Amino acid sequence: MLNPEQRRPFHKLLILEMAVQSSQRDFSVIENLKMSKVYLPILDKLLKDKTQDYYNSKRLLAKEKIRLFKVEKIDEYFSNMHIVTAGNDVVLRYANMALNSQVEKIYHSPKTRRSMIVSTCFFYSPTLS
């Protein structure tokens, strides 16, 4: 069984996993752009940060013997998340649009914007050509 104190870290893990997957897909698309030299360092930094956050969250949940087993898309609006716990397996239903908006919030958070600005400023230093 998943108690309310465990749902919040699980939700964070789920959102971070989706953000990392989205960033990995974006990375392959951005490589083909003319301005890829500008965007790739920014996306690379973002991907490394979110991946580190994801693994930290996954470790915390693993200590409590909680892991995401399977994501099952019900239809275009809802998905079931199958969670394995020490006691029982749990199925939580999420709205796909809500998940997408949560992932977008990660990208638009002040911490993310600050790191993007710092890496952009570094990239545009006059010593680099």
Side-chain angles (χ1 to χ4, degrees):
M1 194 64 183
L2 201 64
N3 62 32
E5 296 88 33
Q6 295 168 330
R7 281 189 187 209
R8 182 164 294 173
F10 174 77
H11 181 72
K12 180 182 177 185
L13 174 77
L14 180 64
I15 299 302
L16 285 170
E17 181 176 356
M18 296 178 113
V20 167
Q21 289 175 0
S22 176
S23 295
Q24 288 171 339
R25 281 191 300 269
D26 292 346
F27 201 84
S28 63
V29 171
I30 288 176
E31 286 177 331
N32 298 326
L33 297 176
K34 290 181 181 178
M35 296 289 291
S36 64
K37 290 181 182 178
V38 174
Y39 294 114
L40 284 178
I42 296 169
L43 188 59
D44 187 45
K45 172 93 170 96
L46 181 67
L47 183 58
K48 284 180 184 176
D49 290 345
K50 297 307 168 196
T51 303
Q52 186 64 40
D53 291 345
Y54 168 72
Y55 284 120
N56 290 340
S57 295
K58 192 171 181 175
R59 267 188 231 104
L60 287 174
L61 287 172
K63 286 180 183 176
E64 298 179 30
K65 297 182 173 60
I66 299 170
R67 66 182 174 91
L68 176 63
F69 175 68
K70 181 170 99 173
V71 177
E72 179 183 16
K73 190 169 183 175
I74 302 299
D75 56 22
E76 64 182 280
Y77 302 110
F78 295 100
S79 296
N80 282 343
M81 308 300 160
H82 297 263
I83 306 161
V84 177
T85 63
N88 298 334
D89 295 350
V90 180
V91 178
L92 297 177
R93 183 165 287 180
Y94 282 88
N96 294 337
M97 289 301 292
L99 290 173
N100 287 338
S101 66
Q102 291 290 317
V103 170
E104 287 176 10
K105 280 184 184 178
I106 287 179
Y107 288 123
H108 299 297
S109 71
K111 180 183 174 187
T112 303
R113 276 189 256 142
R114 275 194 304 273
S115 75
M116 288 171 57
I117 289 169
V118 168
S119 58
T120 305
C121 291
F122 173 73
F123 184 80
Y124 286 129
S125 87
T127 58
L128 296 176
S129 304

